[in-house]
């Protein structure tokens, strides 16, 4: 059910990092690491599985919306995810 805006103390703009602001140009990241970075966490931060699932809900659309600025690398092995990095 919708909630009235006046029930919130603050309503900052919905701004997301650009790929250049978020990622190092010489590194490749998994979507899990990108999810952490989007929340201001270190890429290797320990988080519980439930939180990680929620963060992925933000990270996957971010990757898709920024696909023109990213490169992708296939997993190095079957038990590893793919990697994303800045397009040069």
């Amino acid at each position: 059910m919708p909630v009235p805006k006046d029930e919130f103390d603050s309503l900052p703009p919905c701004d997301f990092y650009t790929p250049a602001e978020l990622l190092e140009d010489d590194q490749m990241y998994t979507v899990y690491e990108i999810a952490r970075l989007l929340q201001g966490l270190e890429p290797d931060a320990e988080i519980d599985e439930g939180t990680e699932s929620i963060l992925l809900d933000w990270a996957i659309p971010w990757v898709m919306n920024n696909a023109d600025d990213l490169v992708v690398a296939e997993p190095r092995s079957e038990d590893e995810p793919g990697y994303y990095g800045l397009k040069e």
Side-chain angles (χ1 to χ4, degrees), residues 22-23 29-38 59 62-63 84:
L22 191 68
L23 308 176
Y29 302 84
T30 67
V31 70
Y32 304 100
E33 293 165 335
I34 291 170
R36 288 169 175 76
L37 290 170
L38 285 169
W62 184 90
V63 168
Y84 302 88

Side-chain angles (χ1 to χ4, degrees), residues 40-87:
L41 301 171
E42 291 297 318
D44 60 351
E46 289 290 325
I47 57 175
D48 64 77
E49 193 172 314
T51 300
E52 185 168 67
S53 293
I54 292 168
L55 297 184
L56 286 175
D57 288 345
W58 288 85
I60 292 169
W62 184 90
V63 168
M64 294 172 66
N65 283 334
N66 291 288
D68 290 343
D69 297 323
L70 301 172
V71 294
V72 63
E74 294 293 324
R76 296 174 294 182
S77 65
E78 288 185 26
D79 63 339
E80 186 176 75
Y83 285 84
Y84 302 88
L86 290 176
K87 188 181 285 184

Side-chain angles (χ1 to χ4, degrees), residues 13-36:
C14 186
D15 292 331
F16 291 97
Y17 294 102
T18 65
E21 293 170 327
L22 191 68
L23 308 176
E24 297 293 327
D25 60 353
D26 63 343
Q27 299 293 311
M28 297 292 285
Y29 302 84
T30 67
V31 70
Y32 304 100
E33 293 165 335
I34 291 170
R36 288 169 175 76

